[in-house]
Amino acid sequence: MKNSKLKNILRYDEPLARHTTFGIGGPAKILAEPQDVEALKELIHYAAGRRMKVCVIGSGSNLLVRDRGYRGMVIKLRRGKFQKITVSGDVIASGAGAPLPKLIAAARRSSLGGLEGLTGIPGTVGGAVMMNAGYKSSIGDHVDCIRAMDMKGRIRTFVKDDLKFGYRRSNLEGYIILEAEFRLEKTKAGNIERDIKELSAHRKQTQPIGSRSAGCIFKNPQGENISAGRLIDLCGLKGRKVGGAVVSDKHANFIINSEFASSKDVLHLIKLVQRRVKKRMNVDLEMEVKVL
Ligand code: EPU
């Protein structure tokens, strides 16, 4: 790709609030949405040549961007070839930029089970794999192979044995996930449908869907038999506000951007919650949401 063509896809001082589900965050010096691997590689080289830091996002659904924004290049993988999903036998290959709900729908149409536990998670496939998203099962349990790019533009394939997934983490940090292959199990379509319906109903009933948030703010504490949401609730923090940020009345592990909250408001509220839970329950809550 010629540099002039590359320049057509660069957006300067783009407000990142438009690219996060929180609807919060200052501008990126540059935001670019490549449509294929070649363009992505060009972008990496362009940024490296200018000593510009790079950050890759998907749908920005697990992200809190600071008010001052990001003085580097944000690469958003949501378009073109990064969205492609193909099914072949019991294997589904998905571009990193495909929305997770689309992947789950494709698996359901082919009567392939395993991913239905991820119902309701709004992120992209790349983001979900990077963070090993999940609930009943984690996405990493079903990954067979990953194609990723390093920060020098080199492509590497990770087979199952190369991959390590933990609670909300993977060993893919530092790479840009391009594509993931999932090996799934032939399952009765009716059973998949039933599980998806149950999970969607549970979420609708228990989570503030439709409000601007980044999903659960904190990880569930490992080794404790109690969820972060329950702990925060027991501390009486539902409805607690800092500026425009408020702890959801419906699910205490969600912070809502109610009235033009700033990133600073959200971070203050996060600290307040962490302090209170530590004092009352002696538990350290660790953030699940990434701060940029
Ligand atoms: N609970 C309360 N008060 C609250 C919230 C929850 O008492 O305000 C109690 C519930 O009654 C329940 C327990 O805490 O007994 C667990 O609640 P829930 O079933 O909602 O699950 P969770 O552990 O809070 C996890 C994931 C969610 C995922 C749901 C699916 C984490 C940190 N959270 O929540 O993921 O949607 O299960 O039910 O793993 C996310 O990752 O962004 C996320 C929201």
Side-chain angles (χ1 to χ4, degrees), residues 135 168 203 207 216 220 227 230 233 238 251-252 288:
Y135 167 53
R168 298 290 175 273
R203 275 192 173 242
Q207 298 181 3
C216 285
N220 277 340
S227 68
R230 179 95 189 117
D233 192 356
K238 276 185 170 170
H251 194 301
E288 176 182 294

Side-chain angles (χ1 to χ4, degrees), residues 54-116:
V54 170
C55 164
V56 178
I57 66 169
S59 45
S61 57
N62 201 41
L63 197 61
L64 176 62
V65 178
R66 289 183 194 274
D67 299 317
R68 63 169 179 261
Y70 185 73
R71 301 313 296 156
M73 180 190 281
V74 174
I75 299 177
K76 185 170 172 180
L77 294 186
R78 278 299 304 271
R79 290 183 188 272
K81 294 189 177 156
F82 292 110
Q83 291 222 55
K84 206 166 168 222
I85 297 176
T86 50
V87 184
S88 144
D90 58 358
V91 173
I92 300 192
S94 171
L100 205 50
K102 265 193 153 173
L103 175 68
I104 297 167
R108 189 199 59 208
R109 278 196 300 275
S110 305
S111 299
L112 292 171
L115 299 176
E116 50 281 6

